[in-house]
Amino acid sequence: MTATAIQKSHFPAPSNHFGPSYPDLRGCIDLHMHSTCSDGAYEPEFLVEWAAHLGLAAIALTDHDTTRGVRRAQARGREVGVEVIPAAEITVAFSGGTFHLLGFFVDVDNQAFNDQMAAQVRSRNERNRKIVQALCDHGMEVTHEELAKEAGEAVVGRPHIAHVMIRKGYVREFKEAFDLWLGDGKPCFFNKEDFSPKDAIQLVLKAGGVPVLAHPRWLNFRDMAKLEAYIVELKGYGLAGLEVIYSDHEDSFQNTLKDIAKRHGLLITGGSDFHGGGVVKPEVTLGHGPGGGFHVPGDLLGPLKAAAGV
Ligand code: AMP
Ligand code: FE
Ligand code: FE
Ligand code: ZN
């Protein structure tokens, strides 16, 4: 299939904030998105086709803790003329907030990397068993079969559990499942064993990848001097860049991050964190921030490639 052969009707219609058609994204890139291989709603191939339709020059598939969808996305990318950067978004242990590490250009055949990702999945499965038991103890029957069906090819995570809870009438909506039961510190919440920041960064480096701190906003630092000091600590472990352009980053925060990146010689990346426009991040769409707010310029890709040596 060529880019021109892609049927427009195939893609979700633009939402209100775009008017009747999507804005032209020719030459732009999107370095953060999820497919059905983690918690996204669309298959890797579909994301690539849509990226081609939007005119994006390159995308990175950044599924949570897996590179399983990368080869599929790359195969379609070759057909439709979109460069697909191999990547993953690794969950990292961090007490004050959410720490996700993007690993761009990781070698998807790296044995140590894949073994570690498999260990993460085992840890998740162990945690899922605890959650299911706790839900049962609170009178909510959710079976592993139901979760497997909900997740399809993806690794089961809390969003899948929330969806089954909604379907079975235990909660009304996604947020309620987290607010009452599954969210951090709630009655059916369990920690899972995640990588330390240093181990995650080293893992990406050893797999030939470029480690970039995803959505620094979610680390929840209020004091920008403390955020900077922490980023410097991460740079000491090998962190190479910051995800600056991101849905939850207002302009002033992006500027702060750009200054930090400049002062410490860190790369800048950006992405939508598109999950499919459903319950997870409904306000973003492929290539765009909330309300169609931002584009990621294609010229950020050169320095990232140089860092990866590709
Ligand atoms: P997991 O990887 O299984 O820990 O699930 C993490 C995902 O659950 C996140 O990416 C969000 O989609 C969702 N999530 C976590 N906490 C909340 C919350 N408080 N409210 C809504 N969704 C949440
Ligand atoms: Fe996610
Ligand atoms: Fe993330
Ligand atoms: Zn993400």
Side-chain angles (χ1 to χ4, degrees), residues 239-257:
L239 186 78
L242 303 177
E243 185 177 49
V244 171
I245 305 172
Y246 186 77
S247 325
D248 298 337
H249 294 174
E250 72 283 6
D251 288 352
S252 62
F253 188 60
Q254 288 194 29
N255 288 333
T256 301
L257 291 174

Side-chain angles (χ1 to χ4, degrees), residues 92 94-99 184 218-220:
V92 179
F94 184 73
S95 57
T98 300
F99 188 144
D184 296 24
W218 295 9
L219 291 176
N220 285 339

